[in-house]
Every structure is written in C-alpha cells, then in structure tokens.
Amino acid sequence: MIDYHKFFSSTLESIKLSGRYREFVNISRKAGEFPMATHVESGKEVTVWCSNDYVGMGQNFDVLNKIHEITYKTGSGAGGTRNLSGTNSEIVELEKTLAFLHNKNSALSFVCGYMANLASISTILSILGENACVFSDSKNHASMIEGIRHSKREKFIFKHNSLDHLEELLSSVPIDRPKLIVFESIYSMDGDIAPIEGICNLADKYSALTYIDEVHAVGMYGKKGGGISQLLGLENRIDIIQGTLAKAYGAIGGYIAGNEILIDAIRSLASGFIFTTALPPMISSASRCSVEHLINNDKERILHQKIVNEAKKSFRENGLPFIDHETHIIPLIIGDSFKCKEISKYLLDKHDIFIQSINYPTVPKGSERLRITPTPLHTEEMIKKLTYSLLDALYALDCKNLLQNMEVAI
Ligand SMILES: Cc1ncc(COP(=O)(O)O)c(C=O)c1O
C-alpha cells in the first residue's frame, strides 16, 4: 500500500528544516483603533507594522456604513456567477468608478487581484494566438507567473527592471509576432519602481502590448490614486492596468482597466471570471466608496508619505539596515530565515509589535526581511517605540553587526 501521509509529512519536515515553515500570527483587528490589534494567543494589544491596509481605509466609517447599508438592502452574497445569476448594480457602478480612476473607458472586476492577473494574462495571451509571446520581469508576482504558465505561450524573462535586457529580448523576436510585456509598478518586497516610461517606449518600438500590476500603488500615488503610471502621466500609454481592492482600498477584490473592446473580450472568455461567483454587492459598494474617497481626498496620501518619511528618518538616524526606494514599503534586511523569525517573535513577545518575518520563497534566500509598512495612522510615538524596539531586538539577538552606524544609543 502507498503511504500517502508520508508525502505530506516529509514535505512539511523539509520546509521546517529550512526555516520556511509558515506560522501565522493570530490577531484580531480593531475597527476604529487601527493599527492596534489584539494578539489572540496572549490577549494583549499589539501595534501592527506590516499591514497592507496601507492607508487605513479598512476602518473608514463611510466604507463600514456602506457595508451595513448594502448588506441589509441586498443580502450577503452575489447569488452566483454573473453569467448565470445576473450582474448587480453595485458591481456595475464599481467598474465604472474603476475605469474613471484610471482614465480608461472600461474595467472588469474579479474576486481578487490574484485572479485578475491569472485570468487576464492567460486570456490575453490566448486571444493573441499561438504565435504570441510574453516578456515578464523576473520579480513579477506569483499570480502573473501563473497567468503566463496557464497561457502556454513562449515566455522571455527579463532581468528585474532592466530596459537593456528587455530590449535585447524584444529585438530577438520578429516585429510582427504578437507580444505582451507584463510588469509591476511598485515591487512589493523591495518597494522599488519599474522604469515605466522606458518600457512603454520599447513597447512602441517593438509593437508590444503593455500590462502593469499597480496592486501596491493604487489609492496611494497619482492625482486620483490611480497608481504610479498616473503619477508619472503615463497611464494612457499602458494598455491594461491591473489593481486590487484589498490593500489601500481596505476591502477585497481585483480588477483590470483598459480599452472597452479588450476588456469585453476578456469578460467573454476568461475562465477565472466566468466560472466563479461575483463580488458581493456590499463589497462592491464599499470598495467603490473607498475608491471614490481616495479619488476625492488627498489627506490620507499626504499623511501617508509624511509618516513613511518620518519612519525612514528615524531608522536612518539609528543605523537600521533598510532599503530605500522612495516608496511606502520599507524592507529591513536580516538575511537569515531563522534570525528573521526570531526577531519577529521577540518584537511581539517583548515589545507588543507585530511585524511578520518574510522568508524564501517570497524573497530570495539570504534576503529574508521584516517588511515594514507605515500608515497615516501610525504616530510619532509609535515610530520612536518601533525604532527602539528594533534596535533592542538586534542587540539582544546578536544581530548588531547588521547596524550600519554603530553610534547608536539604546
Ligand atoms: C504584486 C501583486 N499582485 C497581485 C496580488 C494579488 O492581489 P490580491 O491580494 O488582491 O489577490 C498581490 C498580493 O499580495 C501582489 O503583491
């Protein structure tokens, strides 16, 4: 007899041995008190420094009220897929708002950002035909990689953010072959920005379509919160803009925005859109409320940047080893999976601070890190405490070699 149990237990064992075993920290978020949360195991209050509720919209009162209002008006779920059970007005209005957000004439929502990427990229490539090929940044998110894999089209991986390498690859392919370039605006683990204009120039030169993932930028950058492509005035040069409703907009769901013919073709063919239940009306409506709020208000965006810069200043003055790519994502590189977990646990146990350790395969081995994401709701006092606590953790756990400036006082 085959011992099936052994397949799974030995897999887990090897994950544990390499320090990659994922342990979730059970926290209960508190509406109205973000970034505070309750650590369920100990019952104590902790400050969360690693949330992707980037600007705190997950507790905006208008958004919460919308959820209540629409839930009691329409019920809890969407009632089915849009093909089988009809669409709902809330989702239609959400898509109009998303198209407006990105200055495109159409948008399509998905159950999450992951599915938006998987379904859209694979469908676009399938529509472009068997001769199509795809050019993908080496640090693209797993959901984009899955979309490419599903398409079964020839792929060319260009070195992260390298225009030279992208051009070398593009020029190796006949000009009349259909091509798609897929990349992110802000890369989620390092917080660095793609050379968007250069990529658009190459796309024009080599006749390629462009697909940008703005998941870590929407809501936070650009006049309306349309992301980095909007901030740089480049959104009209991008064919498909993909985003999420789950991070800065504080809800759940993903989408693409672009030309109506292209979006309509994806709507008509994408398996990951057709064969799954639509976003519930209360989520669609709350998301729309959040997107509209950040279209019409700059307050969160301005305060967000201020707090991010204050946190970086404090880290810099104290020699903490972070990478600065001038975005809101602050990676503190530890470089060892066991140490990284140990520091995370120490911060939680001793200082009531929650920062998840990020290990391989999410980041390359040797670049394990704490990924810190300040929000407009973190205070100066919290930044001081975080800085002190990080220094204490590095000293206590024998990692002071990581400090870049030893003249620090703790
Ligand atoms: C770059 C990028 N794209 C897409 C996604 C998926 O988005 P969602 O969380 O809405 O599924 C993520 C998720 O974290 C991401 O980091």
Side-chain angles (χ1 to χ4, degrees), residues 84-146:
L84 286 188
S85 313
T87 196
N88 59 68
S89 57
E90 287 78 10
I91 217 167
V92 173
E93 293 307 316
L94 168 67
E95 287 169 345
K96 281 186 199 157
T97 302
L98 291 170
F100 172 75
L101 168 68
H102 292 292
N103 297 312
K104 299 286 184 193
N105 55 21
S106 191
L108 186 69
S109 65
F110 293 80
V111 287
C112 62
Y114 189 103
M115 189 51 77
N117 274 337
L118 195 167
S120 305
I121 292 172
S122 58
T123 306
I124 292 165
L125 286 167
S126 132
I127 292 170
L128 294 182
E130 280 185 6
N131 195 27
C133 55
V134 55
F135 297 80
S136 174
D137 186 287
S138 62
K139 287 202 176 167
N140 273 344
H141 187 255
S143 54
M144 303 162 91
I145 295 169
E146 279 305 310

Side-chain angles (χ1 to χ4, degrees), residues 284-348:
S284 309
S285 190
S287 299
R288 179 171 157 233
C289 177
S290 181
V291 173
E292 278 180 348
H293 178 92
L294 291 176
I295 286 176
N296 296 318
N297 295 282
D298 255 355
K299 201 180 92 207
E300 284 84 359
R301 267 192 290 283
I302 291 167
L303 193 53
H304 186 211
Q305 289 304 314
K306 180 171 174 281
I307 298 291
V308 167
N309 288 331
E310 278 172 16
K312 285 181 183 173
K313 183 165 175 277
S314 175
F315 293 173
R316 197 172 286 118
E317 284 171 0
N318 287 280
L320 287 166
F322 71 99
I323 307 177
D324 188 2
H325 285 297
E326 295 181 3
T327 62
H328 61 286
I329 295 169
I330 312 182
L332 213 98
I333 306 298
I334 306 298
D336 176 278
S337 60
F338 293 99
K339 271 286 172 239
C340 203
K341 272 188 172 186
E342 218 184 324
I343 294 171
S344 172
K345 185 168 177 344
Y346 184 89
L347 290 171
L348 189 63

Side-chain angles (χ1 to χ4, degrees), residues 121 125 132-136 148 151 153-156 180 182:
I121 292 172
L125 286 167
C133 55
V134 55
F135 297 80
S136 174
I148 292 168
S151 76
R153 298 296 181 248
E154 188 178 7
K155 66 171 189 284
F156 297 87
L180 177 70
V182 291

